Amino acid sequence: MKPTSTPHDSGKALAETIFALSSGAVPAGIAVVRVSGPCAGEALQALAGALPPARRAAARTLRDGRGEVLDRALVLWLPGPGTATGEDVAELHLHGGRAVVNAVERALAELPGLRAATPGEFTRRAFANGRIDLAEAEGLAGLLEAETELQRRSAMALAEGALSQQVGEWRDRVLALSAQVEAVLDFSDEEDAADLPSSFRDDGARLAEELDQWLARPRATVLREGYRVVLAGPPNAGKSTLFNALLENEAAITSPIAGTTRDVLERSVAVAGIPFTFVDTAGLREDESGDDIEKIGIARAQEQLVRADLVLWLGEEGRGPTGAWEIDAKADDQTRRAKGEGALALSARTGFNLDRLRERLMARARDAMPAPGEVALTERQSALLEEARGALAEIGAAGDPLIAAEHLRLARSAFDRLTGRASTEHMLDALFGRFCIGK
């Protein structure tokens, strides 16, 4: 077996054999320990006595190096490269007790050439071995973090290659345009020098327009963090009561005493499968307060107004931020000064019109979210598509074929970095560090 090396040396690390619990946290009914690398078959033989037929589950008694029985398990032998990681893989389907899993992991660690996997290392090997590209890996990361159906479906589309296939098609079209430029450059020193075909700029413009359409889509940020709804208004306007009602729990302390909420409270929830982040803020007032803590709370509330996707304004009508929804929050109080017809009158205490507010919030958030199953671009992906679009937009104005060729090269480079054909090590570390151990 090969000697071990540090997991941070990527070249050497890929030559090692790694193992980890790849199923849910123990205790559980079944625990799956995965082994991947050049020594996976030898490790399986060491514990199970012999390799089972490839890709067929077999019952085996697992023993450690001293011959002690570890478990009676189902084992799988999956020779590479047709595996999830592109390497030889062995899977041990154990009884899911902590002691069983710990004993098997100790036995594996005692074998030469094996070490415990680091977070995301199985998926990183799949990327390094060409089983997935970078965009698909980002989709897998999104699947691990998905908490709502919208998040799951968008991440699944990315993981299954929807964006990668589209980028590949765009890249092929850029290569075709580059070939046209190269043909012109090849004849540039001859008497019958060719010009770029009339369709060249039109084809480039159409490609740039397609990128514009993708860049206009809702971003993954709103899908990941939830549609951000900030409740704002003066002290004692009913913000915390409405906040609790929307969350359906007592997250915020409510009191008839003005200024009870003195900091920002955030809670993420899913409403009918749509992710939301609701934010309760300190009461806003124009008069100078001598309370330094309250001043800090007001400053933080004002910061939240800038970050909000939508503000529910519970203060005096017309005094809220531009685009805020006017909320008449104390409809059960007959002594209040009611807002005009454009406001939504409700009562968080009695439940009056709360369902109507939720319906309106869901409709607004749904419009801001990607369609079910549609890829939502991450900030990294959108930045690279913007870079490619900018380069393609320049070829229309490029009179010199050499300049056009350079813009096409820049577009192709952006596409390559998006899918991982060209990428930097620190960016890969950041991505795969989001994964759990065993994935």
Side-chain angles (χ1 to χ4, degrees), residues 239-262:
K239 299 183 298 297
S240 295
T241 303
L242 179 56
F243 179 73
N244 289 339
L246 290 169
L247 297 177
E248 298 183 340
N249 68 34
E250 298 299 316
I253 298 172
T254 61
S255 166
I257 301 173
T260 302
T261 302
R262 297 162 74 87

Side-chain angles (χ1 to χ4, degrees), residues 246 269-276 278 358 362:
L246 290 169
V269 296
V271 181
I274 301 173
F276 282 90
F278 289 108
R358 290 192 182 98
M362 286 188 290

